[in-house]
Amino acid sequence: MTQILPFNLPKPAAAIVLAAALCACGHDTSNHLAALPPPPVPAPYRVVVPVPPPTPRPAKAPDALVTNINMIGRNFDGRVGIAVRSVDQGWTVSSNGETRMPQQSVSKLWVAMTVLDYLDSGRLKLDDPIVLTKDDFTLFHQPVAALVTGDGYHTTIRELLRRALTMSDNTCNDRLLRYVGGPAAVRDFIRRKGLGDIRFGPGEKLLQSATAGLEWKPEFAFGNAFTRARARLPQTARIAAFERYVADPPDGAAPSAIANALAKLKLGQLLSKSSTDYLISTMEASKTGKQRMHGAVPGDWSFGHKTGTGQDLGSRTAGYNDVGLLMAPDGRSYAVAIMIGDTPKAIPQRQALMHAVVEAVIASHRGQDGRSGSDSSGR
């Protein structure tokens, strides 16, 4: 007897109908059913967790440079911190580089960066007008004071910034500081940009008064009133104030943090490209500290920097600094911070320390290229 299967039945249903038909015909279907393959078992669900690539190991600093920097720092009579960071390779060499040293006018860099950050965010323009009056005077180095006559010196943000950076003018710097909101604004910039162990002090007037053991008075801004008042203090009071400042400077910063901040600046990680270029070119035009680091930079290298110098007490000086960007002819760069926190050494010996650091960096750079490091002083 012939069985006709429905044409449109699905295969499993057709198999059942076929089996029933065979049973109806008296055939044994057990062997046929046993031969059917078992239904597929779905594979277990697996979660594939991507394996992150290995973290690249930081570049290793040249051994000879490590040895030289440590030897230079160890052999100097005084409290000194040195840090050298390769902008391109990311390594850092330091001697006492994590200890806070007085910045003094090095801190003008953070004021300048805060001003340029305001520029980048549209809160000011470099050609915005600004007026300096005698009420703006601070103390010590303020050559702009000679331009303040009558109703004041009418100028621009750009000009105050240039004078603060290239001449280290204290009055120009403090006026810019007030323009952007005072020390709190600069501290906020340092925090937001992740610059690390860098403090910003209360401004030139209060910082220098406290270092001398005085309370600020407006008359200190004129003539030599500040130095006369300081000279009238008992020597014990001056020494105590000086020691307090050196031990825990309110404007203290670790040389390694400053070198890292300068590397970030060069890499364009702090400001817009135009502001970065402006700041570095202005640092290159600096007129201060020609015999500090600058005195050992070869003629075919570029160098932009900011100096800082503190008060003297007898033969001691609290803060004799130079920090900057050392840029080779092949385009590679190094951020260098040399900070002498307290020393009885004479100025030529301090400068010799700075020259030795620059010469060590240049010799290391040339050595990596397989070239001779001779005649590296450029003096």
Side-chain angles (χ1 to χ4, degrees):
M1 176 173 119
T2 302
Q3 296 288 327
I4 300 175
L5 298 177
F7 178 76
N8 60 349
L9 283 177
K11 288 183 179 180
I16 294 171
V17 172
L18 176 60
L22 291 173
C23 289
C25 295
H27 294 287
D28 184 3
T29 63
S30 58
N31 291 334
H32 295 282
L33 292 175
L36 292 175
V41 178
Y45 180 73
R46 291 184 300 169
V47 177
V48 179
V49 179
V51 178
T55 302
R57 296 179 63 183
K60 185 176 182 294
D63 291 336
L65 183 61
V66 173
T67 299
N68 285 337
I69 295 300
N70 283 325
M71 181 181 65
I72 292 168
R74 185 171 57 248
N75 292 339
F76 186 75
D77 181 15
R79 188 167 176 260
V80 61
I82 304 167
V84 179
R85 184 172 180 84
S86 167
V87 175
D88 308 283
Q89 296 180 321
W91 50 256
T92 299
V93 177
S94 69
S95 172
N96 205 25
E98 304 306 320
T99 301
R100 287 181 188 149
M101 302 286 176
Q103 291 186 80
Q104 294 294 323
S105 286
V106 166
S107 65
K108 289 181 171 71
L109 279 176
W110 321 125
V111 176
M113 289 184 192
T114 304
V115 170
L116 293 171
D117 186 54
Y118 270 51
L119 171 68
D120 290 342
S121 61
R123 286 178 281 181
L124 60 77
K125 295 179 181 178
L126 291 182
D127 291 322
D128 282 347
I130 192 168
V131 179
L132 281 182
T133 70
K134 292 183 178 181
D135 290 338
D136 296 315
F137 287 1
T138 56
L139 70 171
F140 296 149
H141 192 63
Q142 46 182 345
V144 76
L147 303 176
V148 179
T149 58
D151 63 344
Y153 175 50
H154 294 253
T155 184
T156 63
I157 297 294
R158 185 191 305 274
E159 179 64 6
L160 292 187
L161 196 54
R162 183 187 71 82
R163 287 177 170 273
L165 288 171
T166 65
M167 303 179 190
S168 205
D169 192 300
N170 291 334
T171 290
C172 292
N173 184 74
D174 273 17
R175 184 67 183 90
L176 290 171
L177 176 60
R178 290 198 304 278
Y179 194 89
V180 296
V186 178
R187 292 169 190 148
D188 179 66
F189 175 85
I190 293 170
R191 179 191 56 77
R192 284 189 291 108
K193 299 298 182 177
L195 301 189
D197 194 5
I198 297 174
R199 287 176 169 177
F200 187 80
E204 200 70 23
K205 299 173 182 178
L206 298 180
L207 179 72
Q208 300 302 342
S209 298
T211 303
L214 294 167
E215 291 187 10
W216 172 256
K217 295 180 180 180
E219 57 264 32
F220 289 166
F222 300 94
N224 61 352
F226 180 85
T227 55
R228 289 201 310 268
R230 185 177 62 182
R232 289 194 295 267
L233 286 173
Q235 189 71 355
T236 53
R238 282 211 61 199
I239 292 173
F242 188 93
E243 294 286 2
R244 283 195 301 271
Y245 174 70
V246 170
D248 189 20
D251 65 335
S256 292
I258 291 181
N260 185 52
L262 290 171
K264 285 185 172 183
L265 172 69
K266 178 64 175 171
L267 291 169
Q269 297 174 357
L270 302 183
L271 302 167
S272 69
K273 184 180 187 308
S274 59
S275 290
T276 298
D277 293 344
Y278 172 84
L279 179 53
I280 293 176
S281 64
T282 305
M283 291 167 64
E284 289 180 282
S286 176
K287 296 177 173 60
T288 62
K290 291 295 187 181
Q291 290 307 314
R292 296 193 193 188
M293 277 201 279
H294 203 292
V297 178
D300 56 344
W301 286 57
S302 299
F303 183 58
H305 68 132
K306 186 69 199 75
T307 56
T309 308
Q311 295 183 49
D312 295 330
L313 179 63
S315 63
R316 297 167 65 187
T317 300
Y320 190 86
N321 311 320
D322 202 3
V323 309
L325 288 164
L326 187 61
M327 295 162 279
D330 63 10
R332 285 182 286 170
S333 304
Y334 303 89
V336 185
I338 306 173
M339 306 180 75
I340 302 174
D342 183 13
T343 184
K345 287 289 188 182
I347 287 176
Q349 293 168 306
R350 304 172 201 173
Q351 294 171 343
L353 165 80
M354 295 180 174
H355 294 175
V357 172
V358 172
E359 289 165 356
V361 173
I362 292 169
S364 173
H365 177 88
R366 291 175 172 170
Q368 290 178 69
D369 285 342
R371 297 195 296 271
S372 170
S374 62
D375 190 30
S376 63
S377 70
R379 283 178 282 169

